Amino acid sequence: MKRLRILILLFIVILCVPLGYFIMRTLYSLAQEEKSELRYFSETLFNEIEQELAVWVRNEESRAVDEYNYLVEDMSTTIKRSPLSKPPEQPFILGYFQNNPDGSFQSPYIQQGGVISEIDASMIKQLKNLNSKFNQKRYQVPLPSEYQPVLETKLKEPKAQTEFSEKYLARSRKSSDSLGQKQKRVESIRMEQALNIAQQEMYSAKEEKETILSSKVSSDKLDKTDRMNESWTGIHDQTLQVEVDSMQSVFIDNECIYIFRRIAMRNQIYRQGCIIQINPFLVYLSQKYFDHQPMSQFTHMVFVVADGQKEMGVIHSGIHFSTPVFEVHRIFPRPFSFLRARLTCASIPPSSGRMTLQWMIFILAGVIVIGLVAIYHSAWKVMELSHRRSQFVSSVTHELKTPLTNIRMYIEMLEQGIATTHEREQQYYHILSSECQRLSRLIYNVLDFSKLEKKQIKLNWNEGKFDEVIDEVEEIMTPKLQKEGFTFDVNQTLSVPFWYDREIMVQVLMNMIENSIKFGKHSPEKKITLSIVEKGKWIEIHLSDTGPGIANFALKKVFEDFYRVDPLAKTSGTGIGLAFVRKLIHACGGKVRAENNTGAGCSIIVMLPKIHHP
């Protein structure tokens, strides 16, 4: 048995090590797939934001250079209102304006002569104030060509072994360092457009000239303004080449960012763009792209506007985590290089295959455990049965040897004439007959037991009230009962006959009575009671004794082949008595069980069907 345990343990190790490795690798791969899937959709969300910003930047770059004036002239020389003169569509844009070379303010919301359109006057005042602040910084703003690529400043992220998207699409698109044009372009404009661009500058020069004349002071400023006005006269039929640079951004203050382009015309730099309000911009991005998404239920999104390392605005959305296990960053390209996004997650949602895999693991583990237990139990049963058979052979040898020894002894005594009287001689003959019957019963039991195992026994059905069975058993067993000092009581209350095999029932009762005599001969009270009663569709035969009883754990095992409660006990026996009874009763379509009595002893209950059709 020890060797069997070692072999089963070795089998478990050989089976579980590769299986455990396979399960761990599968779970790890599945976790990587789940992480890559979340990363893919997070990047898709960031790409959607970047795409909208790119569209917005391209729209701004494609604007006509004179749209920052209230009135514009199209190709058919039709004067119309600038599309920028209306309130901005995006909620985060405060307004549009142009910063002239001399630092003056020009806006599409102000008509010629200083008349303000339907835009709130307080907003115009705020834009003028921001223009003044920008004048203090505009010479510190680097040219777009001086910017470092955004890719060099992006946070490094760990790359999964197998990205979710790489199974289906190759990574052909590389991240760009700019959302719009990367280099300045040269554009031809009509003189009318150029005049619209410089309208505020010319208007300021005219005001300055009037101020100088009213003060009756001659100076170089008057000559300068005259030369500026003269340079714009008489050239309406000409075209000009202007350089339009890519969009760039600069922080005006802690709440506003100026996104603009440089227009180089006649050796002068004009800056055209709009003011983005930081907090409304972050709220807009969060509400449009994240708050309504399903991933907001299990992830946390942070949008940050930063000037270098200094955070100017932050907004948090979703579920906050103290220790996230997943994180994706994005720093957006120029001119939105100030915008950063970070998505984190503490528990990555499981894929649909994870639950199936877990169930399969549990089922597989259960099957393996049950299989190993069944193998161990079967092997243990086989070994135990083999051990019982070995004990059975030894017990049968002993049981056969005892009556044969007695027979041989009494035959020798008769041959030697030790029985001097006729009565003594008859006593010896009676003992020889009893021992021969004992030997015959033992041999017949073993033979019948073998037939029952091979299912070769034939039944002879008879209908009766069981009286002839009781009479035969009493006739055979009374001498032994009297010899061992047992009393035998019968209580038979049957009202109707039933079908049974007479010979089988005689064997059953004799085995049960011999079993009670064997184990109860040392009890203080020696009594065996046979009761036969009707219970519904069954006839119950109770054989009760006053012996030591049966241990509770062995009440069912005593009917197993070759089983003995205490193999080392001094009580003789083969271990097939009750097993033989069980096989005989089952062959008759009945049941058998053992119960301990309330007092001393136990009862063997045999149940036979009342109605039988042989």
Side-chain angles (χ1 to χ4, degrees):
M1 197 66 186
K2 183 177 180 181
R3 183 180 179 185
L4 176 64
R5 293 194 185 99
I6 294 175
L7 290 175
I8 291 179
L9 183 62
L10 183 62
F11 174 75
I12 292 174
V13 172
I14 295 174
L15 178 65
C16 291
V17 168
L19 185 61
Y21 176 78
F22 169 75
I23 292 174
M24 290 178 60
R25 289 298 304 174
T26 303
L27 291 175
Y28 175 78
S29 300
L30 190 59
Q32 292 299 317
E33 289 290 335
E34 292 167 351
K35 186 177 291 186
S36 297
E37 186 176 352
L38 181 57
R39 184 182 303 278
Y40 170 76
F41 287 107
S42 302
E43 293 287 353
T44 301
L45 178 64
F46 293 156
N47 290 340
E48 288 182 1
I49 298 175
E50 187 172 316
Q51 184 178 3
E52 180 183 344
L53 297 179
V55 171
W56 183 85
V57 169
R58 287 194 292 269
N59 289 338
E60 294 300 319
E61 290 177 339
S62 63
R63 292 188 183 279
V65 294
D66 60 338
E67 285 188 16
Y68 286 81
N69 191 47
Y70 182 77
L71 296 177
V72 296
E73 184 176 338
D74 58 16
M75 296 297 295
S76 60
T77 67
T78 302
I79 305 298
K80 63 178 182 179
R81 184 175 175 180
S82 171
L84 294 181
S85 62
K86 300 178 181 179
E89 296 180 358
Q90 290 81 1
F92 53 86
I93 296 179
L94 178 62
Y96 291 84
F97 71 87
Q98 174 179 296
N99 179 267
N100 293 320
D102 60 352
S104 60
F105 173 82
Q106 182 172 332
S107 175
Y109 311 123
I110 303 176
Q111 304 180 36
Q112 189 173 4
V115 179
I116 300 175
S117 63
E118 65 267 22
I119 303 298
D120 189 1
S122 62
M123 187 266 280
I124 300 297
K125 182 178 180 181
Q126 189 176 357
L127 290 176
K128 288 183 177 181
N129 184 38
L130 293 172
N131 180 69
S132 299
K133 292 182 179 181
F134 175 71
N135 286 331
Q136 301 173 7
K137 297 184 176 184
R138 63 177 182 170
Y139 295 111
Q140 302 174 4
V141 180
L143 293 173
S145 59
E146 298 174 1
Y147 278 86
Q148 294 293 327
V150 178
L151 291 177
E152 296 180 4
T153 63
K154 283 193 174 183
L155 296 175
K156 294 183 178 179
E157 303 171 10
K159 183 177 181 293
Q161 290 184 355
T162 303
E163 289 289 348
F164 175 74
S165 59
E166 289 180 352
K167 286 186 176 181
Y168 310 99
L169 297 175
R171 289 180 174 267
S172 58
R173 188 183 73 87
K174 295 183 179 180
S175 298
S176 173
D177 61 344
S178 176
L179 292 178
Q181 63 183 45
K182 295 184 178 181
Q183 298 177 349
K184 64 179 64 177
R185 71 178 189 271
V186 178
E187 183 177 332
S188 296
I189 63 172
R190 302 187 310 278
M191 188 54 62
E192 290 79 3
Q193 291 178 291
L195 293 173
N196 283 335
I197 295 173
Q199 187 178 71
Q200 181 62 34
E201 185 182 7
M202 296 171 61
Y203 180 75
S204 299
K206 181 179 179 181
E207 285 186 337
E208 184 177 356
K209 179 179 180 179
E210 292 177 353
T211 301
I212 294 173
L213 291 175
S214 62
S215 62
K216 298 179 180 180
V217 177
S218 176
S219 64
D220 293 338
K221 290 184 177 181
L222 182 59
D223 295 336
K224 181 179 178 181
T225 56
D226 286 340
R227 288 194 302 270
M228 180 180 294
N229 290 329
E230 289 175 359
S231 65
W232 291 99
T233 59
I235 56 175
H236 289 273
D237 296 332
Q238 299 180 12
T239 59
L240 291 178
Q241 299 291 323
V242 298
E243 290 183 352
V244 182
D245 216 333
S246 56
M247 303 294 290
Q248 61 185 115
S249 60
V250 63
F251 282 88
I252 304 296
D253 53 27
N254 293 337
E255 297 180 356
C256 297
I257 300 173
Y258 186 33
I259 295 183
F260 64 95
R261 62 183 180 181
R262 298 171 186 261
I263 305 295
M265 183 178 66
R266 296 170 64 88
N267 297 323
Q268 299 290 326
I269 301 297
Y270 299 84
R271 297 169 180 86
Q272 298 176 339
C274 64
I275 295 293
I276 289 183
Q277 302 176 93
I278 294 176
N279 287 333
F281 178 56
L282 296 178
V283 171
Y284 169 80
L285 293 178
S286 178
Q287 290 180 348
K288 182 175 181 180
Y289 289 99
F290 182 76
D291 292 349
H292 67 283
Q293 298 291 352
M295 67 168 56
S296 64
Q297 303 298 319
F298 56 87
T299 59
H300 180 69
M301 175 70 82
V302 182
F303 288 104
V304 180
V305 169
D307 185 6
Q309 299 298 323
K310 182 180 179 182
E311 293 185 353
M312 310 297 286
V314 181
I315 186 168
H316 297 265
S317 301
I319 308 299
H320 181 70
F321 308 108
S322 57
T323 54
V325 299
F326 174 84
E327 190 169 357
V328 178
H329 300 268
R330 174 69 66 89
I331 298 178
F332 291 87
R334 180 171 55 84
F336 287 92
S337 53
F338 56 82
L339 177 62
R340 302 173 183 177
R342 182 173 70 252
L343 188 140
T344 58
C345 181
S347 178
I348 299 176
S351 64
S352 57
R354 177 175 286 273
M355 186 61 67
T356 303
L357 177 62
Q358 290 177 344
W359 275 110
M360 291 304 298
I361 290 173
F362 290 142
I363 292 173
L364 180 61
V367 169
I368 292 174
V369 171
I370 293 173
L372 291 174
V373 171
I375 292 172
Y376 178 82
H377 185 264
S378 299
W380 181 81
K381 279 286 188 183
V382 170
M383 294 184 67
E384 185 184 33
L385 184 60
S386 177
H387 179 66
R388 290 182 193 174
R389 286 182 183 273
S390 177
Q391 287 184 331
F392 167 72
V393 171
S394 177
S395 299
V396 168
T397 303
H398 175 74
E399 290 292 320
L400 291 172
K401 184 179 179 181
T402 301
L404 287 173
T405 301
N406 290 336
I407 290 172
R408 180 180 179 183
M409 181 183 67
Y410 281 103
I411 290 176
E412 289 178 354
M413 291 172 66
L414 289 171
E415 288 177 347
Q416 294 174 6
I418 295 177
T420 56
T421 63
H422 179 72
E423 289 79 8
R424 178 65 62 86
E425 188 176 282
Q426 291 298 319
Q427 183 182 0
Y428 287 176
Y429 283 132
H430 181 74
I431 292 173
L432 286 172
S433 176
S434 177
E435 291 298 327
C436 286
Q437 289 178 2
R438 176 184 174 188
L439 185 60
S440 296
R441 285 197 303 271
L442 180 60
I443 293 172
Y444 287 148
N445 282 346
V446 173
L447 293 175
D448 289 342
F449 186 82
S450 177
K451 289 180 181 180
L452 285 170
E453 282 193 327
K454 297 178 181 179
K455 297 182 180 181
Q456 295 177 347
I457 194 167
K458 294 182 179 181
L459 301 177
N460 296 316
W461 296 98
N462 297 294
E463 188 178 19
K465 291 188 177 181
F466 216 63
D467 295 331
E468 65 275 16
V469 175
I470 296 174
D471 294 339
E472 186 175 350
V473 170
E474 283 184 328
E475 181 181 353
I476 297 172
M477 298 301 300
T478 295
K480 189 169 184 178
L481 289 168
Q482 291 176 353
K483 180 181 178 181
E484 298 292 344
F486 279 85
T487 60
F488 183 65
D489 297 332
V490 178
N491 182 16
Q492 205 263 48
T493 60
L494 292 179
S495 60
V496 294
F498 69 100
W499 292 88
Y500 56 87
D501 186 302
R502 178 176 174 275
E503 294 296 329
I504 284 180
M505 295 313 301
V506 169
Q507 285 182 294
V508 166
L509 290 180
M510 287 177 61
N511 273 279
M512 292 166 62
I513 292 171
E514 285 186 343
N515 198 66
S516 295
I517 293 172
K518 185 193 305 180
F519 291 98
K521 60 184 177 181
H522 299 295
S523 301
E525 183 181 4
K526 300 178 181 181
K527 183 178 180 181
I528 299 175
T529 304
L530 178 64
S531 302
I532 305 170
V533 297
E534 300 178 39
K535 282 194 175 180
K537 298 179 180 180
W538 298 93
I539 300 296
E540 290 192 0
I541 302 171
H542 293 247
L543 186 77
S544 301
D545 60 37
T546 55
I550 303 172
N552 290 330
F553 71 88
L555 285 174
K556 293 183 178 180
K557 292 184 177 182
V558 291
F559 296 102
E560 295 178 3
D561 298 347
F562 317 119
Y563 180 81
R564 300 185 68 188
V565 178
D566 186 2
L568 301 179
K570 295 181 180 180
T571 306
S572 62
T574 59
I576 67 170
L578 292 179
F580 184 46
V581 169
R582 177 180 63 86
K583 290 181 181 293
L584 288 173
I585 296 302
H586 283 182
C588 297
K591 305 175 183 177
V592 62
R593 70 178 188 275
E595 293 179 356
N596 284 315
N597 298 332
T598 305
C602 67
S603 297
I604 306 297
I605 298 98
V606 173
M607 299 174 63
L608 295 173
K610 185 185 296 184
I611 301 174
H612 190 288
H613 300 284

